[in-house]
């Protein structure tokens, strides 16, 4: 991860915007996998034409001659939509099991606390840097948005060792079961940061707690040189076409060798892992065969911490 001297439109802030723009673009489709009307509100608040064009979802800004680029962009949008469905369904299962507190690590512009009926009355703790928290909360408040959940912002960098204390100070109850969401975070961590983060989460988790994580395996087919190189080239092309900072790969720690599923198993969690490409196919958004080696791919991991 990098330092925190950035705002919502630069550096890591742009990664949060990029995901929100993809969710807005998916919502604008005739038959979307997810509906996140708050994503477009957040993108509009930035007031930059490039981000707004990206959020419309019609890909008109790419021009008529770049068919491969358009198909690759659609596959990227389909991936974000599939990932969103995965974490939405996790929230539904977790709350149905009786969990009453949800912790979203590096929450970014996540609006689940506003749009998911399953979170009605649930305590949702959103951990992220103050600049992100302020932008999201103030923007949604201006538009009169009301969360379905009881939202508890925790404005802190996850690299700050005080974050567990700040989480507790925000009303989180250590003795109660928790559901942890780790979305769009792990690619930016080193192996040491990965292990430290999950070590803290495990220490904080009461038996019966659940966890969902989006995992990229850097040394394997998920983040091989070809896939990452194509991703970076595509981000550069999008940034140039729209005049925005959209390179979400710039901060990826591709020296990371973590295996999240194995780490969790070794530390007492019961783990299931899905390939995102299989999930995309299940949801009717399969990756075209000629793009299978370059479109985004990850493991979608769920875990439960059983009683001793």
């Amino acid at each position: 991860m990098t330092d925190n001297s950035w705002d919502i439109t630069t550096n890591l802030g742009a990664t949060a915007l990029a995901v929100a723009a993809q969710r807005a673009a998916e919502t604008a489709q005739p038959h979307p996998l997810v509906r996140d009307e708050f994503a477009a509100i957040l993108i509009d608040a930035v007031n930059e034409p490039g981000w707004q064009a990206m959020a419309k979802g019609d890909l008109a800004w790419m021009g008529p001659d770049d068919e491969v680029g358009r198909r690759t962009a659609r596959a990227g949008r389909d991936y974000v939509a599939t990932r969103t469905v995965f974490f939405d369904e996790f929230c539904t299962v977790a709350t149905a099991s009786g969990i009453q507190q949800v912790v979203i690590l590096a929450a970014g512009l996540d609006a689940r606390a506003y749009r998911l009926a399953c979170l009605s009355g649930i305590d949702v703790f959103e951990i992220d840097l103050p600049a992100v928290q302020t932008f999201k909360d103030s923007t949604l408040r201006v538009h009169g948005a009301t969360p379905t959940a009881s939202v508890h912002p925790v404005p802190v960098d996850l690299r700050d060792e005080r974050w567990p204390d700040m989480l507790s100070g925000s009303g989180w109850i250590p003795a109660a079961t928790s559901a942890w969401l780790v979305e769009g975070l792990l690619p930016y961590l080193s192996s040491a940061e990965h292990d430290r983060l999950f070590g803290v989460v495990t220490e904080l988790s009461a038996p019966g707690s659940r966890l969902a994580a989006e995992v990229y395996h850097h040394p394997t087919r998920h983040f091989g040189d070809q896939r990452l190189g194509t991703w970076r080239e595509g981000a550069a092309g999008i940034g140039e076409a729209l005049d925005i900072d959209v390179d979400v790969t710039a901060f990826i720690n591709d020296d990371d060798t973590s295996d999240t599923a194995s780490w969790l198993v070794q530390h007492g969690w019961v783990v299931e892992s899905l390939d995102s490409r299989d999930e995309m196919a299940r949801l009717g958004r399969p990756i075209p065969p000629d793009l299978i080696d370059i479109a985004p791919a990850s493991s979608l991991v769920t875990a439960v911490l059983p009683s001793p």
Side-chain angles (χ1 to χ4, degrees):
M1 298 178 76
T2 187
D3 64 63
N4 58 6
S5 58
W6 49 269
D7 59 29
I8 195 63
T9 62
T10 60
N11 295 343
L12 281 174
T15 69
L17 277 181
V19 174
Q22 292 282 48
R23 286 177 173 159
E26 176 64 22
T27 302
Q29 300 309 304
H31 304 288
L33 291 180
V34 293
R35 297 182 184 275
D36 183 354
E37 66 270 27
F38 303 102
I41 292 173
L42 292 163
I43 294 298
D44 286 344
V46 175
N47 197 28
E48 291 189 7
W51 287 112
Q52 293 168 350
M54 186 178 179
K56 289 181 179 178
D58 59 10
L59 300 178
W61 51 270
M62 295 193 73
D65 299 326
D66 188 6
E67 182 59 25
V68 173
R70 295 167 72 89
R71 292 171 64 243
T72 303
R74 282 195 292 270
R77 184 182 68 214
D78 289 344
Y79 171 80
V80 171
T82 298
R83 183 181 84 175
T84 303
V85 170
F86 167 77
F87 282 97
D88 286 358
E89 291 180 346
F90 169 77
C91 288
T92 299
V93 171
T95 54
S97 75
I99 289 176
Q100 294 292 304
Q101 53 185 15
V102 173
V103 185
I104 306 177
L105 304 178
L109 301 182
D110 187 297
R112 288 185 173 89
Y114 289 81
R115 64 179 180 82
L116 291 186
C118 69
L119 296 180
S120 177
I122 301 296
D123 288 306
V124 175
F125 299 86
E126 299 185 338
I127 303 177
D128 213 319
L129 296 175
V132 177
Q133 301 273 14
T134 299
F135 172 78
K136 180 168 68 174
D137 295 346
S138 61
T139 298
L140 295 179
R141 189 181 308 115
V142 165
H143 283 79
T146 302
T148 60
S150 178
V151 182
H152 307 267
V154 186
V156 64
D157 191 324
L158 283 168
R159 295 164 301 176
D160 189 326
E161 294 181 355
R162 299 173 300 167
W163 76 260
D165 292 333
M166 295 184 67
L167 176 61
S168 295
S170 298
W172 177 81
I173 302 173
T177 54
S178 299
W180 304 87
L181 276 69
V182 190
E183 179 183 14
L185 169 62
L186 298 184
Y188 308 109
L189 303 185
S190 67
S191 295
E193 290 170 331
H194 169 281
D195 293 353
R196 184 163 54 249
L197 176 69
F198 282 105
V200 172
V201 168
T202 299
E203 290 177 3
L204 296 177
S205 295
S209 293
R210 295 174 179 260
L211 180 150
E214 173 199 22
V215 178
Y216 292 93
H217 301 297
H218 300 264
T220 68
R221 55 184 179 162
H222 285 166
F223 256 174
D225 291 340
Q226 180 181 7
R227 190 183 306 281
L228 193 54
T230 302
W231 194 354
R232 284 176 169 149
E233 289 175 7
I238 293 172
E240 182 177 354
L242 296 177
D243 192 27
I244 56 177
D245 177 11
V246 71
D247 186 5
V248 300
T249 71
F251 310 101
I252 287 175
N253 193 321
D254 49 11
D255 292 328
D256 175 39
T257 58
S258 304
D259 184 332
T260 304
S262 294
W263 191 100
L264 290 169
V265 169
Q266 292 167 10
H267 291 81
W269 296 79
V270 177
V271 176
E272 293 185 5
S273 184
L274 303 171
D275 191 299
S276 64
R277 289 161 288 199
D278 294 336
E279 282 298 282
M280 291 175 71
R282 180 180 73 86
L283 295 173
R285 302 289 182 87
I287 298 175
D290 61 319
L291 301 181
I292 201 72
D293 292 329
I294 60 176
S298 67
S299 292
L300 300 173
V301 173
T302 55
V304 178
L305 189 64
S307 299

